[in-house]
Amino acid sequence: MKKRSLTYERTFLGNPILQFTKQNVGLDENLLMNIYLHLDDKLSRCPQTFAMRFDIHMPKDMKVPDNRLFSRFQAHFIKKEKRAGYDPDYVAVREESKRSGIHYHELLLLDGKKTERIFNHIKNANEALNSALGYPAGTRSGLINDCTKDRNGKSQRNGIMIDSRSYIAKKQENDCFRQASYLAKNSQKDNTEKSRHEIFSSHLNPRQNKKNLRIVPE
């Protein structure tokens, strides 16, 4: 059984987070810290950062015992993003449910001077997943969710520009962190297998550590 340190508070290190207290669902503090460090690292190198979320679903009729398919997708996707000059960083997490099967939630952090819309990145994700699955180019599998609608079909915002020079920079950072904290919810995580890899992320700057945080907790 995996041991998790969960929080049910309204904030994490001074940043607002989502709450699922009515469902008695906590947020994994290890995942929250992972998101926190990657956002901080990105903003220290890229003062104008575009942050967005998307989901990757596996075909429901396909057995996915491990993460090799996702790893192939991710490698192809990040290569496409780098070639386009977007300077991508990411945090992704594996989940599983009866309704959605095996799926992954991903936070993507990009150079805000090169992009400000989600369209091209969703397109790249679709193309990368088609390649990983062996589908013909241009196939619309419906396996990439652009997160522009909630589970009830209501439109929701996806894509937040953070400009560290702006007087509303802190609000932008807060909005981004709150949205990204969805990845840390404890529900639909596999709590039985200690060995299965569930968190995937880009490399942090080697100098990035708790003493070097740019986002100072309030």
Side-chain angles (χ1 to χ4, degrees):
M1 180 71 71
K2 288 184 179 179
K3 291 184 178 180
R4 300 182 188 274
S5 177
L6 302 179
T7 180
Y8 297 85
E9 301 297 326
R10 295 176 180 270
T11 62
F12 179 80
L13 297 180
N15 296 274
I17 55 178
L18 294 169
Q19 285 189 301
F20 301 92
T21 50
K22 289 183 179 180
Q23 299 94 327
N24 195 32
V25 172
L27 299 187
D28 188 319
E29 291 186 318
N30 179 47
L31 261 165
L32 289 173
M33 180 58 78
N34 202 316
I35 294 167
Y36 186 93
L37 291 175
H38 277 82
L39 179 58
D40 183 82
D41 180 55
K42 185 67 173 183
L43 288 170
S44 70
R45 296 181 287 106
C46 190
Q48 193 169 333
T49 292
F50 182 68
M52 59 174 282
R53 269 192 53 217
F54 68 100
D55 299 338
I56 307 97
H57 292 261
M58 298 292 109
K60 289 187 176 181
D61 59 349
M62 178 182 290
K63 292 184 179 180
V64 190
D66 53 39
N67 297 301
R68 283 181 287 182
L69 179 58
F70 174 77
S71 295
R72 289 202 302 272
F73 155 78
Q74 189 67 11
H76 191 183
F77 172 63
I78 292 300
K79 183 181 292 186
K80 290 172 75 70
E81 292 286 291
K82 286 182 176 178
R83 285 178 175 173
Y86 295 128
D87 188 21
D89 291 284
Y90 65 91
V91 177
V93 62
R94 174 183 170 126
E95 292 186 351
E96 184 172 0
S97 69
K98 291 182 179 180
R99 176 181 178 182
S100 301
I102 294 172
H103 57 283
Y104 299 79
H105 300 295
E106 183 160 341
L107 168 68
L108 188 62
L109 303 171
L110 305 159
D111 184 348
K113 292 182 180 179
K114 301 291 181 64
T115 185
E116 57 182 15
R117 298 285 187 273
I118 70 171
F119 176 80
N120 286 337
H121 315 294
I122 296 300
K123 180 174 179 291
N124 282 342
N126 272 303
E127 291 175 356
L129 189 57
N130 283 342
S131 176
L133 291 169
Y135 291 171
T139 299
R140 294 188 177 183
S141 65
L143 297 173
I144 298 293
N145 178 3
D146 65 9
C147 296
T148 57
K149 292 185 179 180
D150 64 19
R151 64 176 54 195
N152 297 316
K154 185 178 179 181
S155 294
Q156 64 181 7
R157 178 187 182 189
N158 186 17
I160 297 173
M161 184 68 76
I162 305 173
D163 187 345
S164 297
R165 302 161 299 181
S166 171
Y167 71 96
I168 60 169
K170 185 57 182 175
K171 180 182 183 305
Q172 294 168 338
E173 291 172 9
N174 284 344
D175 289 347
C176 173
F177 194 83
R178 185 177 185 277
Q179 185 184 78
S181 70
Y182 182 82
L183 276 67
K185 62 183 173 61
N186 188 45
S187 64
Q188 301 183 14
K189 301 289 192 300
D190 185 349
N191 291 312
T192 60
E193 294 191 38
K194 291 183 179 179
S195 60
R196 178 172 287 160
H197 196 176
E198 70 175 10
I199 304 173
F200 311 82
S201 60
S202 50
H203 292 294
L204 286 168
N205 185 321
R207 293 175 296 177
Q208 182 74 359
N209 54 59
K210 292 182 181 179
K211 295 180 181 179
N212 219 12
L213 292 178
R214 191 202 58 80
I215 305 175
V216 180
E218 295 177 345

